[in-house]
Amino acid sequence: MNIGEAAAATGVTAKMIRHYEAIGLINEAGRTGSGYRTYGPKDLATLTFIRRARDLGFSIAQIRDLLALWQDRGRASADVKRIAATHIDELTAKMRQLQEMVMTLQHLSTHCQGDDRPDCPILDRLATGEDGRACH
């Protein structure tokens, strides 16, 4: 299977497949006599694994660790769970940060008149720190 077919089958773009090869996340593809990359079932399974891990927001470093564990039949599931738990903590922290941003913007938007006057608490907040001092 060529790179375009592998991309279509796995949902990973050809550009990302080449990138994953370049950073060593996947093995370099075999080549035809004319130099085209070829991918087999094992390559497709690995690319699908990577895509699903990326869909869950795992970092490249975490995916590298998960791939190593996936390929190691003697692994301890505790190692996999540790990576997942760490990622859950990271995602939870990001959700809190996003919620705080939403609440701040909602507050500022509520207090913005949205009329023809130049006064704007949104711009004022961006120009000053939370303590009200101007940032220069």
Side-chain angles (χ1 to χ4, degrees), residues 103-121:
M103 289 174 17
T104 298
L105 284 170
Q106 284 175 331
H107 174 78
L108 293 172
S109 183
T110 298
H111 290 87
C112 179
Q113 297 300 318
D115 55 19
D116 293 334
R117 296 181 324 202
D119 297 333
C120 180

Side-chain angles (χ1 to χ4, degrees), residues 25-88:
L25 194 58
I26 61 173
N27 293 328
E28 198 169 303
R31 300 280 183 156
T32 64
S34 56
Y36 290 102
R37 288 176 168 90
T38 60
Y39 299 90
K42 185 177 178 182
D43 300 313
L44 297 180
T46 301
L47 288 168
T48 299
F49 183 100
I50 292 168
R51 183 189 48 79
R52 289 177 179 157
R54 291 298 288 165
D55 288 348
L56 291 174
F58 284 103
S59 69
I60 294 296
Q62 290 168 322
I63 293 171
R64 191 179 306 278
D65 292 342
L66 289 168
L67 277 170
L69 290 165
W70 180 51
Q71 294 163 350
D72 176 8
R73 297 304 302 166
R75 70 184 171 264
S77 64
D79 295 334
V80 179
K81 187 172 183 173
R82 178 184 44 75
I83 294 169
T86 298
H87 188 51
I88 290 167

